[in-house]
Amino acid sequence: MSELLGFVAASLVVIVVPGPDLTLLLANTARSGRRAGHATAAGIMLGHAVLATAAVAGLTALLAASQVGYAILRVAGALYLIYLGVQSLADFVRLRRGAVGDAAAPNAVQRVPAATGRVGRAAFRQGLISNLLNPKVAVFYLALFPQFTLPGLGTTAAHSVLAGVFWLMCLLWFVLVLLLLARVETLLCRRGVQRGLAGASGVGLVGLGAALALRG
């Protein structure tokens, strides 16, 4: 039980620290509404499920052992984050120029229409790809699991349990975030707030992408 509690504590720190997933979720919610946020979270969670399964199967060990493969995935992930960040910054510029509504009323409410199927699919795809292309997430699974053992379980079974616990914790975290965003949906519709979130998320995504590319 102490091993499991230690794993939960370590996972909690990793999950709640802001990173690309949360930044992208906030950006898509501010840009396209609550449904886009839900779709983004669903894509992120599918990415976690794929990476957790790969970790249990030992595939992430191959990634960590291959410098070339890791470098390719790292650069691809970094470029994708920068691409998403540039999109958010473009939204910031558009809103700053007053392309939506009257620029003289920065706090006027801008009603965001419900996300269409196309917007929802795009948000889902962004969440999935950004998660899968982050090698730090894959290596995290590889580095964290071996540090914890569950008495009475073999390695594969123990890693499967830990992967399931981590996935459920991620799910609960995003549910809480989405519930909070739903409570402040009216605030998110304000042009000034949208502009601020677009600028902050754009800078954040570009910065995270650059850090991932340079960190090696």
Side-chain angles (χ1 to χ4, degrees):
M1 181 61 69
S2 61
E3 286 286 324
L4 184 58
L5 291 176
F7 175 80
V8 169
S11 299
L12 187 61
V13 173
V14 173
I15 291 170
V16 301
V17 172
D21 289 346
L22 183 59
T23 305
L24 179 61
L25 176 63
L26 293 175
N28 283 349
T29 302
R31 177 188 300 120
S32 303
R34 184 169 49 179
R35 292 184 185 178
H38 291 171
T40 304
I44 292 170
M45 291 310 304
L46 178 57
H48 274 297
V50 171
L51 291 174
T53 302
V56 171
L59 298 180
T60 50
L62 298 178
L63 171 65
S66 173
Q67 292 185 354
V68 175
Y70 180 86
I72 292 174
L73 187 61
R74 175 174 56 82
V75 172
L79 291 176
Y80 190 69
L81 287 177
I82 293 172
Y83 164 74
L84 295 176
V86 170
Q87 283 189 322
S88 290
L89 291 175
D91 286 339
F92 171 77
V93 172
R94 175 177 59 82
L95 290 168
R96 186 177 178 83
R97 290 176 177 174
V100 179
D102 183 4
N107 289 322
V109 174
Q110 170 63 37
R111 296 294 179 186
V112 180
T116 63
R118 181 179 59 82
V119 172
R121 288 192 296 271
F124 177 86
R125 185 171 58 251
Q126 289 173 355
L128 175 62
I129 294 176
S130 65
N131 191 268
L132 291 178
L133 288 183
N134 189 349
K136 300 293 184 180
V137 177
V139 175
F140 159 76
Y141 281 105
L142 177 67
L144 187 64
F145 288 178
Q147 298 181 34
F148 297 90
T149 59
L150 299 179
L153 295 179
T155 301
T156 301
H159 287 184
S160 298
V161 171
L162 295 176
V165 170
F166 184 79
W167 191 90
L168 287 174
M169 290 180 64
C170 288
L171 178 62
L172 289 174
W173 168 245
F174 282 117
V175 167
L176 289 174
V177 171
L178 290 171
L179 287 175
L180 177 61
L181 291 177
R183 295 291 297 272
V184 297
E185 186 173 15
T186 301
L187 179 63
L188 291 176
C189 289
R190 293 182 178 275
R191 290 199 299 271
V193 175
Q194 286 186 335
R195 186 170 61 243
L197 283 175
S201 59
V203 172
L205 287 168
V206 171
L208 288 168
L212 180 60
L214 298 174
R215 200 170 292 166

